[in-house]
């Protein structure tokens, strides 16, 4: 589900700084508000009349068949008329999100249960009931102010044509009094415009509070979606910088904060949400601050009248910095939003801790690999070089005295050199990247056969003709199963020769590993060895099967059967068939 890019309703405008006495009269919002207030009385009266008449008529005629349809029609009018009210609220600057299209009509009773269970129905009904009396009050206030202002402005006309008496005498305005009354009328117009804008804000906030579609529900939905995405991003853990940037973006998108930043303990910024540059450069979003206790939040005012919420980021039990959310003046986070931001901070701490663990594991793996290579070189190549040195020295010492012994020493030296070369090849093969990703299954098995011959002196008869049509998962499973079977041949079978083959038979691909080793009795190992169970699980994971046939003294045959993937138009890469894989 995509994260909504807009709130369920855009709040009405904030009060702007007015400059000059004519600001309200020159503001176009004043006239839009006047139009809304002018329409509120007839619209509110019509809505009030429809709902009250429908409700009363339905109750009175409830004992007749017509009563129930009237009540249902009145209930249907409540959300329908609310859509009209939302459209009219656009004159006040309030913008509502689109309502979710209704599902397919499933019957009267399901619709009735859903409508009565929806809190929006009761909020809309409350707005309909409040609109008419509030419209009457608005008309009375504005009508009185406007009538008084117009009467004062038109005093030169009615002062002559309309007699005004007071205590039996006629009142006539002249000179300074006439000018004062007219100025009072002009001031009355300014007051009327100001009151009109004030009433507009009252109407706008009332519409926003009662007609916004699922404000709390939409906010909770955005937070759930953001947390789900954040958890998925942290679990992926491919790039720490991108993960933290995504977490900051999710926190800003699902909250009312204008900017969100993740800051390290030393005050440097890990990541920040994508928003206006002015807010991202706010000094509160960088620098060292006191971190709140785990599970807590620190909310306070900062430079520019903005509100800053600071939440702790805990990475593996230690301080990982802070999450900082910056709010516009007049905006403050609620407890639910702070709890959501704290969850995002926890995800950030998990991402930092996971990155640290990966770094340590990588360093540890590097150390272990270097130690393994040192052992391999010491046990094989270094020993071979030492033997070569001894053989060469012996040959040099006996070169003039004993030609036969010199020849034997040179033969011994050559054999040691060849063994050292084979061992070095095996080490180089083990250091190369996985050939399965480079050239496919045939290339990977060929490389493995080379390493097997070089390191253990086995004769490998390979029948690797055409790259089989396998999915990437099946290809990886085939390689690992063959690798395990070859390893078992060296470790347990004490074989001198191995036959390795890959072929396709109809819709199946067969991978076979056979040796001439000592074999074993499958019945004596109920359930198979740990290696066999692992190979069977790999085969079953990609829809294949594994069979192991063995007889004591007659070798072992391991056969993996996999479903062939659908052929594509691209020709399969071929490899020259080899009877043996030599070093």
């Amino acid at each position: 589900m995509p994260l909504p890019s807009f709130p369920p309703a855009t709040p009405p405008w904030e009060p702007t700084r007015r400059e000059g006495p004519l600001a309200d009269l020159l503001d176009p919002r004043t006239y839009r508000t006047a139009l809304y207030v002018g329409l509120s009385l007839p619209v509110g009266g019509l809505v009030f009349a429809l709902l009250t008449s429908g409700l009363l008529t339905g109750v009175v005629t409830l004992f007749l068949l017509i009563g129930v349809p009237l009540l249902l029609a009145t209930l249907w009018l409540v959300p329908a008329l609310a859509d009209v009210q939302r459209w009219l609220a656009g004159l006040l600057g309030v913008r509502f999100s689109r309502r979710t299209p209704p599902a397919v009509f499933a019957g009267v009773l399901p619709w009735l249960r859903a409508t009565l269970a929806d809190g929006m129905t009761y909020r809309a009904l409350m707005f309909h009931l409040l609109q008419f009396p509030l419209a009457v009050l608005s008309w009375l206030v504005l009508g009185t102010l406007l009538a008084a202002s117009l009467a004062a402005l038109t005093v030169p006309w009615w002062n002559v044509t309309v007699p005004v008496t007071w205590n039996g005498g006629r009142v006539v305005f002249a000179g300074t009094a006439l000018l004062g009354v007219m100025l009072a009328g002009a001031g009355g117009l300014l007051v009327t415009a100001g009151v009109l804008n004030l009433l507009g804000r009252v109407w706008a906030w009332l519409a926003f509070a009662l007609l916004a579609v699922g404000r709390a529900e939409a906010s909770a939905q955005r937070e759930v979606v953001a947390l789900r995405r954040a958890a998925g991003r942290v679990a992926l853990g491919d790039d720490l910088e991108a993960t933290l940037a995504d977490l900051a973006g999710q926190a800003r998108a699902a909250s009312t904060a204008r900017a969100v930043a993740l800051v390290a303990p030393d005050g440097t910024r890990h990541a920040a949400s994508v928003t206006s540059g002015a807010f991202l450069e706010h000094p509160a979003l960088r620098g060292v601050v006191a971190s709140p206790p785990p599970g807590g939040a620190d909310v306070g005012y900062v430079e520019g009248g903005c509100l800053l919420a600071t939440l702790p980021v805990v990475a593996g039990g230690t301080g990982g910095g802070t999450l900082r959310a910056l709010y516009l003046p007049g905006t403050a986070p609620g407890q639910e939003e702070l709890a959501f931001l704290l969850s995002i901070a926890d995800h950030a701490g998990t991402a930092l801790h996971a990155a640290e663990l990966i770094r340590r594991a990588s360093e540890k793996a590097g150390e272990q690999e270097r130690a393994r290579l040192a052992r391999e070189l010491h046990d094989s190549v270094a020993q071979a070089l030492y033997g070569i040195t001894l053989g060469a020295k012996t040959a040099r010492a006996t070169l003039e005295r004993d030609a036969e012994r010199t020849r034997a020493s040179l033969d011994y030296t050559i054999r040691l050199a060849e063994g050292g070369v084979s061992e070095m090849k095996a080490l180089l093969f083990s250091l190369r990247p996985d050939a399965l990703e480079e050239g496919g299954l045939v290339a990977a098995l060929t490389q493995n056969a080379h390493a097997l011959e070089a390191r253990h002196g086995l004769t490998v008869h390979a029948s690797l003709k055409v790259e089989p049509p396998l999915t990437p998962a099946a290809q990886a499973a085939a390689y690992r199963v063959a690798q395990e079977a070859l390893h078992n041949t060296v470790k347990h079978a004490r074989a001198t020769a191995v036959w390795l083959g890959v072929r396709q038979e109809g819709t199946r691909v067969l991978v076979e590993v056979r040796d001439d080793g000592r074999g074993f009795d499958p019945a004596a190992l109920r359930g198979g060895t740990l290696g066999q169970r692992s190979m069977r699980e790999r085969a079953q994971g990609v829809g294949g099967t594994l069979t192991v046939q063995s007889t004591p003294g007659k070798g072992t045959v391991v056969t993996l059967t996999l479903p062939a993937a659908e052929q594509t138009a691209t020709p399969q890469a071929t490899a020259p068939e080899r009877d043996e894989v030599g070093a």
Side-chain angles (χ1 to χ4, degrees):
M1 176 183 293
L3 190 65
S5 59
F6 46 81
T10 302
W13 66 80
E14 294 292 335
T16 56
R17 176 177 293 185
R18 299 189 179 95
E19 296 183 1
L22 301 179
D24 283 329
L25 286 176
L26 298 178
D27 192 347
R29 293 179 300 191
T30 302
Y31 303 97
R32 293 199 300 269
T33 303
L35 178 59
Y36 179 87
V37 174
L39 293 173
S40 64
L41 185 60
V43 172
L46 178 61
V47 171
F48 188 84
L50 285 173
L51 294 180
T52 53
S53 61
L55 180 61
L56 292 176
T57 307
V59 171
V60 171
T61 60
L62 190 60
F63 64 95
L64 302 175
L65 294 178
I66 195 176
V68 174
L70 278 175
L71 290 176
L72 292 178
T74 304
L75 183 61
W76 176 84
L77 278 175
V78 172
L81 292 173
D83 289 335
V84 178
Q85 302 284 15
R86 293 186 186 95
W87 179 77
L88 286 176
L91 296 171
L92 301 173
V94 185
R95 297 291 183 268
F96 297 93
S97 64
R98 295 177 181 177
R99 298 190 66 184
T100 305
V104 179
F105 185 71
V108 175
L109 289 179
W111 170 82
L112 181 61
R113 284 195 296 267
T115 305
L116 293 177
D118 188 3
M120 185 63 232
T121 302
Y122 303 99
R123 294 200 302 269
L125 180 61
M126 184 178 296
F127 183 88
H128 295 325
L129 296 178
L130 290 175
Q131 184 184 31
F132 182 63
L134 185 58
V136 172
L137 179 63
S138 299
W139 271 51
L140 288 175
V141 171
L142 293 175
T144 302
L145 289 174
L146 188 59
S149 300
L150 292 178
L153 286 174
T154 59
V155 67
W157 173 78
W158 60 259
N159 187 42
V160 177
T161 59
V162 180
V164 178
T165 60
W166 180 263
N167 290 332
R170 182 177 179 180
V171 178
V172 178
F173 294 97
T176 305
L178 184 66
L179 180 61
V181 172
M182 293 181 65
L183 289 176
L189 285 180
L190 296 179
V191 172
T192 303
V195 172
L196 181 62
N197 275 330
L198 178 62
L199 288 174
R201 285 194 289 274
V202 172
W203 279 105
W205 282 112
L206 183 66
F208 176 71
L210 296 179
L211 297 179
V213 182
R215 292 184 302 148
E217 294 83 354
S219 176
Q221 184 185 46
R222 290 197 305 272
E223 292 178 0
V224 169
V225 172
L227 289 174
R228 185 180 64 188
R229 290 187 175 181
R233 185 74 197 209
V234 171
L236 183 61
D238 54 346
D239 184 344
L240 178 61
E241 183 177 351
T243 298
L244 295 179
D246 189 63
L247 289 177
Q250 295 293 343
R252 188 185 72 88
S255 68
T256 57
R258 186 58 184 267
V260 175
L262 289 165
V263 184
D266 61 359
T268 59
R269 200 162 62 191
H270 282 310
S273 59
V274 180
T275 184
S276 58
F279 277 90
L280 284 182
E281 297 305 319
H282 197 285
L285 296 182
R286 60 176 74 246
V288 179
V289 297
S291 180
D298 182 19
V299 182
Y301 288 98
V302 292
E303 179 182 338
C306 297
L307 202 67
L308 179 70
T310 305
L311 301 101
V313 176
V314 181
T318 60
T322 55
L323 183 147
R324 305 180 190 180
L326 190 65
Y327 293 84
L328 287 171
T331 307
Q335 291 298 322
E336 294 80 4
E337 184 165 315
L338 290 175
F340 161 71
L341 293 176
L342 186 60
S343 298
I344 293 292
D346 290 340
H347 282 304
T350 302
L352 290 169
H353 185 51
E356 177 64 18
L357 292 178
I358 291 173
R359 184 189 65 80
R360 293 179 184 176
S362 179
E363 292 179 354
K364 185 67 174 178
E367 293 175 358
Q368 292 176 346
E369 183 63 15
R370 287 191 294 271
R372 185 187 70 82
L373 289 176
R375 290 194 302 269
E376 295 281 355
L377 290 172
H378 176 270
D379 295 341
S380 57
V381 179
Q383 296 295 334
L385 292 176
Y386 180 70
I388 291 171
T389 302
L390 291 180
K393 288 180 177 180
T394 301
R396 184 180 62 183
T398 59
L399 180 61
E400 296 180 355
R401 296 184 291 103
D402 190 345
E404 189 63 30
R405 188 176 179 184
T406 300
R407 187 178 297 105
S409 297
L410 290 175
D411 291 339
Y412 172 74
T413 302
I414 292 172
R415 287 195 302 273
L416 287 178
E418 290 175 346
V421 169
S422 298
E423 191 64 30
M424 185 59 69
K425 281 185 178 181
L427 287 174
L428 292 175
F429 279 129
S430 66
L431 290 175
R432 287 185 59 193
D434 194 356
L436 186 64
E437 298 181 1
E438 293 182 348
L441 181 62
V442 168
L445 291 178
T446 301
Q447 174 180 313
N448 208 285
H450 276 294
L452 197 68
E453 282 191 330
R455 174 162 290 181
H456 303 288
L458 286 175
T459 300
V460 181
H461 304 276
S463 178
L464 305 172
K465 301 178 182 179
V466 180
E467 183 69 26
L470 293 172
T471 63
Q475 196 178 60
Y479 176 69
R480 296 305 177 191
V481 168
Q483 191 178 45
E484 178 69 18
L486 293 172
H487 174 74
N488 289 339
T489 297
V490 174
K491 185 177 181 181
H492 304 293
R494 298 179 184 176
T496 59
V498 178
W499 287 261
L500 174 63
V502 177
R503 66 183 186 275
Q504 182 179 358
E505 294 182 355
T507 59
R508 303 181 306 164
V509 174
L510 278 70
V511 179
E512 186 178 271
V513 178
R514 179 168 57 90
D515 64 63
D516 62 351
R518 58 182 182 175
F520 64 94
D521 183 8
L525 297 173
R526 183 171 300 177
T529 63
L530 180 62
Q532 291 180 28
R533 289 197 296 270
S534 175
M535 290 190 289
R536 284 197 173 89
E537 289 173 359
R538 288 185 184 275
Q540 293 171 358
V542 292
T545 58
L546 182 81
T547 59
V548 179
Q549 299 174 340
S550 183
T551 303
K554 295 184 179 180
T556 302
V557 180
V558 177
T559 305
L560 172 66
T561 304
L562 297 170
E566 294 183 1
Q567 296 282 359
T568 62
T570 305
Q572 297 288 345
T574 60
E577 182 179 1
R578 297 183 54 190
D579 293 331
E580 295 186 5
V581 180

